[in-house]
Amino acid sequence: VASAVTHLHNMRFLHRDLKSRNFLCTGRITKLCDFGDTVCFGGGRLDERVGTLQYMAPEVLVACYPRIVFGPQAPQAPQAPGGALSPECCPGPGGSRQVEGVPGGEGQNDWEGEPRYDSACDVYAMITVIWECFTRRSPYDGLAHADGTLVGKMDLIRWVSHGRICP
């Protein structure tokens, strides 16, 4: 899995939709497939909404969904079946980048001239795929509020981008 992603990045491409369904396994051979969202990178601005939400890195969510991310404060992170999700498990958008430091405030993202996300988004998705292989659970599967209602797309985007939850 890691060697396929490394090879793709060495060729200066971002896959942008890495997920377990895009790896084909036969015996000891694993192949990466579905290159429909793949782009060549090299200094361009990446802010397109592509990929599968459950595998998107926090910095991709910040770049692609600024009105949701910078909207009203997200409620308390939910409980997952089989254990609580700790807010300490994720460092926040882009690793060391903090949401509060993003210029523009609510509904804005004006990082003009620099990429909004880069090859780290594929690494995040790859680690999520590896996590999925070890746990045999889909990312955020069965995530629910305290009242038992399932978590919606907007809450998931807010919680992941603010570093409140991770797979």
Side-chain angles (χ1 to χ4, degrees), residues 51-118:
T52 303
L53 180 63
Q54 291 84 349
Y55 297 85
M56 285 184 179
E59 61 268 26
V60 176
L61 296 173
V62 168
C64 297
Y65 298 98
R67 292 176 198 252
I68 296 172
V69 171
F70 301 118
Q73 186 66 17
Q76 189 67 11
Q79 299 288 319
L85 293 171
S86 167
E88 294 82 32
C89 71
C90 298
S96 62
R97 277 189 237 162
Q98 296 300 315
V99 172
E100 298 80 38
V102 174
E106 184 176 321
Q108 299 268 344
N109 188 339
D110 53 14
W111 294 341
E112 296 297 329
E114 67 176 85
R116 295 185 181 194
Y117 57 85
D118 57 20

Side-chain angles (χ1 to χ4, degrees), residues 4-68:
V5 175
T6 300
H7 178 72
L8 196 64
H9 289 178
N10 287 341
M11 301 295 292
R12 311 280 304 151
F13 287 101
L14 292 179
H15 191 280
R16 301 190 308 170
D17 194 23
L18 290 173
K19 57 187 172 186
S20 54
R21 291 182 180 174
N22 288 342
F23 286 94
L24 306 174
C25 302
T26 57
R28 297 180 59 125
I29 298 172
T30 302
K31 294 184 178 188
L32 179 58
C33 65
D34 188 2
F35 296 95
D37 292 325
T38 302
V39 295
C40 183
F41 68 92
R45 184 172 145 156
L46 299 171
D47 60 359
E48 294 175 296
R49 291 182 191 178
V50 296
T52 303
L53 180 63
Q54 291 84 349
Y55 297 85
M56 285 184 179
E59 61 268 26
V60 176
L61 296 173
V62 168
C64 297
Y65 298 98
R67 292 176 198 252
I68 296 172

